[in-house]
């Protein structure tokens, strides 16, 4: 019993002595630890942790707070990463998944031209051709959508926009350009060989500005048809987004071509990764690209002498269709496997169908894309996945395309066969 009672006392004495020794040791060690921590805070750095422990200073140091990483910086940050969704009615009618990239949800000008406009401006700035808030003016010839995107981004980046466009385009587009502060010059429709044609006029206006010593800044001709920053925008953004959103599982990509940047850029990104992918051009009536892809000849029967009603492309469709090969289209032409011709009647019938069946209200080029996507799906058979582009909202096409499309059927009784056989 004496051993058992003295043993705890021995433990207590040992513990007391150990505590005294530890205290004496820390008395010398702690000030050095504190000094090291203070030096770290003063430098604003973090020790390298070689001894296993690193002390970090997480207190605010008076620096301005940056925006959270998931909050876009400016309207430019709202461009891209648009949704890809399944068009239910067309998918159910064909037995294929018909997926649409909702490019009308781009946050600046509401079309895929947002990507192009931003790419052209960034490239020009990097090359020293544009300087923000210096008086530089961006000139462009466009049927509307590129002009709207440029006008929006010009205001965001410190430039002014001067837009030349055919005077037979929908009034909504020119009205919107004016509200965005752009200078709008409407010219008569003309072939590209005419110096008064809208693209040539914009090029001339830019040169006149630069040559005038009385005007501040320079004139920059964006040149969307030949500027390779166009197709590169889709190679760097649209193509990768589609590949990621589909998980790399798709059988066909269908798109129209005006400048040719979208179909060329997307094809150049997707084809090397999906060698069996079919790339299909959607072409409106009056355009020569259908025959260029299928037969290697730029010709359309509606372009015969004495048969044309207008000087560019004989169609109610705006934004796609052209009778020359641009640098942007040429960049991807070898990757295009087929082309589908779409009449005005088919395009307007599809526009009504999409509203009646899906509540999707889009413009003329989107309707052409959807007709071509359906025809492509039918040619491939059920079980395939076809991706296409919805370019812009129908609100930009009320006075022209939608005026010709006619009223919406409250019952929505039309069959898909009626859409494809519309005359």
């Amino acid at each position: 019993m004496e051993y058992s009672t003295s043993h705890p006392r021995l433990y207590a004495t040992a513990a007391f002595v150990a505590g005294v020794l530890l205290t004496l040791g820390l008395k010398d060690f702690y000030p050095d630890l504190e000094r090291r921590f203070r030096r770290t805070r003063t430098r604003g750095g973090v020790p390298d942790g070689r001894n296993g422990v690193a002390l970090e200073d997480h207190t605010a140091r008076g620096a301005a707070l940056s925006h959270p990483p998931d909050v876009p910086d400016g309207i430019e940050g709202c461009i891209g990463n648009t949704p890809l969704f399944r068009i239910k009615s067309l998918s159910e009618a064909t037995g294929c998944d018909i997926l649409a990239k909702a490019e009308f949800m781009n946050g600046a000008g509401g079309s895929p031209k947002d990507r192009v406009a931003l790419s052209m401006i960034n490239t020009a700035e990097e090359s020293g051709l544009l300087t923000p808030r210096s008086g530089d003016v961006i000139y462009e010839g466009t049927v509307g959508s590129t002009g709207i995107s440029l006008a929006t981004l010009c205001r965001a980046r410190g430039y002014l926009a001067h837009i030349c466009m055919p005077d037979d385009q929908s009034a909504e587009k020119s009205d919107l350009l004016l509200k965005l502060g752009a200078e709008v010059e409407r010219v008569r429709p003309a072939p590209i060989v005419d110096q008064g044609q809208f693209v040539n006029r914009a090029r001339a206006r830019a040169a006149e500005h630069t040559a005038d010593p009385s005007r501040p800044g320079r004139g920059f001709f964006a040149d969307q048809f030949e500027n390779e920053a166009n197709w590169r925008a889709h190679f760097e953004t649209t193509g990768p987004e589609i590949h990621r959103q589909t998980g790399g599982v798709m059988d066909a990509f269908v798109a129209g071509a005006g400048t040719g940047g979208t179909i060329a850029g997307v094809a150049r990104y997707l084809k090397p990764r999906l060698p069996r992918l079919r790339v299909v051009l959607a072409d409106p009536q009056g355009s020569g690209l259908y025959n260029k892809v299928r037969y290697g000849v730029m010709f359309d029967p509606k372009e015969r002498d004495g048969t044309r009603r207008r000087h560019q492309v004989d169609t109610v469709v705006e934004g796609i269709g052209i009778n020359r090969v641009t640098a942007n289209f040429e960049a991807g032409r070898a990757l295009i496997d087929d082309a589908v011709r779409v009449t005005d009647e088919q395009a307007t019938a599809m526009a009504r169908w999409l509203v009646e069946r899906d509540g999707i209200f889009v413009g003329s080029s989107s309707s052409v894309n959807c007709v071509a996507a359906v025809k492509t799906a039918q040619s491939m058979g059920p079980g395939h996945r076809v991706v296409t582009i919805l370019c812009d909202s129908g609100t930009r096409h009320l006075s022209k395309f939608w005026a010709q499309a006619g009223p919406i059927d409250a019952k929505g009784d039309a069959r898909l066969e009626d859409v494809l056989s519309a005359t």
Side-chain angles (χ1 to χ4, degrees):
M1 294 294 294
E2 289 182 1
Y3 176 81
S4 63
T5 55
S6 63
H7 196 58
R9 291 176 185 172
L10 182 60
Y11 280 160
T13 301
F16 175 77
V17 172
V20 171
L21 293 175
L22 182 60
T23 302
L24 291 174
L26 285 176
K27 180 181 177 182
D28 294 327
F29 174 72
Y30 181 78
D32 181 63
L33 180 63
E34 183 179 19
R35 281 194 300 272
R36 292 187 183 185
F37 177 62
R38 289 183 184 278
R39 284 199 301 269
T40 300
R41 290 190 63 176
T42 302
R43 292 195 306 267
V46 178
D48 62 10
R50 284 175 294 183
N51 295 323
V53 177
L55 300 177
E56 299 182 17
D57 178 14
H58 292 288
T59 59
R61 290 186 290 270
L65 294 176
S66 62
H67 59 82
D70 58 342
V71 176
D73 188 23
I75 196 67
E76 305 98 313
C78 300
I79 296 172
N81 293 310
T82 55
L84 182 74
F85 71 96
R86 180 174 178 268
I87 301 179
K88 293 187 289 186
S89 69
L90 299 182
S91 298
E92 292 164 1
T94 60
C96 292
D97 273 341
I98 296 184
L99 309 182
K101 184 99 167 110
E103 286 292 277
F104 59 84
M105 294 184 69
N106 276 298
S111 80
K113 297 300 185 180
D114 282 1
R115 302 175 189 264
V116 175
L118 183 60
S119 178
M120 293 192 297
I121 291 174
N122 285 341
T123 301
E125 288 180 346
E126 292 165 3
S127 302
L129 300 175
L130 283 173
T131 304
R133 295 174 177 80
S134 65
D136 288 353
V137 177
I138 297 178
Y139 294 81
E140 183 60 297
T142 169
V143 297
S145 290
T146 303
I148 292 167
S149 297
L150 278 172
T152 304
L153 291 172
C154 279
R155 286 293 171 173
R157 299 290 278 267
Y159 305 106
L160 295 177
H162 183 116
I163 305 301
C164 299
M165 63 187 301
D167 60 13
D168 64 347
Q169 300 301 292
S170 61
E172 296 91 324
K173 294 180 180 179
S174 60
D175 290 346
L176 180 53
L177 284 166
L178 291 170
K179 293 299 182 183
L180 289 169
E183 185 173 349
V184 179
E185 186 175 352
R186 294 177 71 101
V187 301
R188 64 178 178 81
I192 191 66
V193 295
D194 188 326
Q195 291 305 304
Q197 192 258 8
F198 67 101
V199 174
N200 296 330
R201 180 68 63 87
R203 180 186 291 107
R205 291 287 188 247
E208 291 168 5
H209 181 156
T210 301
D212 187 348
S214 67
R215 299 189 64 179
R218 297 163 291 181
F220 172 72
F221 176 48
D223 198 11
Q224 61 165 328
F225 288 91
E226 310 302 326
N227 190 334
E228 292 197 351
N230 182 338
W231 72 258
R232 290 186 186 280
H234 296 290
F235 176 82
E236 293 169 1
T237 65
T238 317
E241 288 173 25
I242 291 172
H243 189 265
R244 183 183 70 251
Q245 290 168 323
T246 60
V249 180
M250 53 187 296
D251 300 292
F253 174 71
V254 179
T259 64
T262 301
I263 195 167
V266 172
R268 287 183 68 139
Y269 184 85
L270 292 179
K271 273 281 195 174
R273 293 161 177 82
L274 303 171
R276 301 178 71 176
L277 178 76
R278 289 184 61 76
V279 176
V280 180
L281 171 73
D283 209 34
Q285 67 180 46
S287 171
L289 295 181
Y290 170 85
N291 285 327
K292 186 67 174 177
V293 170
R294 282 210 157 188
Y295 310 115
V297 178
M298 181 69 76
F299 175 77
D300 182 84
K302 288 184 176 292
E303 300 300 305
R304 293 196 308 271
D305 289 341
T307 65
R308 291 187 300 175
R309 297 189 300 255
R310 62 192 301 269
H311 293 279
Q312 188 183 359
V313 176
D314 194 7
T315 178
V316 72
V317 174
E318 296 180 353
I320 59 174
I322 194 170
N323 282 304
R324 70 181 192 276
V325 175
T326 66
N328 280 287
F329 184 78
E330 192 63 26
R333 182 163 67 94
L335 302 176
I336 300 174
D337 299 291
D338 200 2
V340 173
R341 167 79 79 215
V342 179
T343 68
D344 284 356
E345 291 76 18
Q346 290 170 335
T348 53
M350 177 59 74
R352 294 192 303 270
W353 169 284
L354 291 172
V355 172
E356 293 167 358
R357 300 298 183 96
D358 298 277
I360 299 172
F361 185 56
V362 291
S364 54
S365 57
S366 303
S367 300
V368 170
N369 286 345
C370 287
V371 172
V374 167
K375 289 185 175 183
T376 300
Q378 289 179 333
S379 69
M380 299 182 80
H384 291 87
R385 175 177 281 181
V386 178
V387 176
T388 192
I389 303 289
L390 298 185
C391 304
D392 61 4
S393 167
T395 56
R396 293 185 184 172
H397 302 262
L398 293 173
S399 63
K400 187 178 177 183
F401 176 75
W402 270 100
Q404 184 165 322
I408 297 301
D409 185 351
K411 295 182 179 179
D413 291 334
R415 300 173 304 164
L416 192 56
E417 291 76 11
D418 299 330
V419 172
L420 300 182
S421 62
T423 57

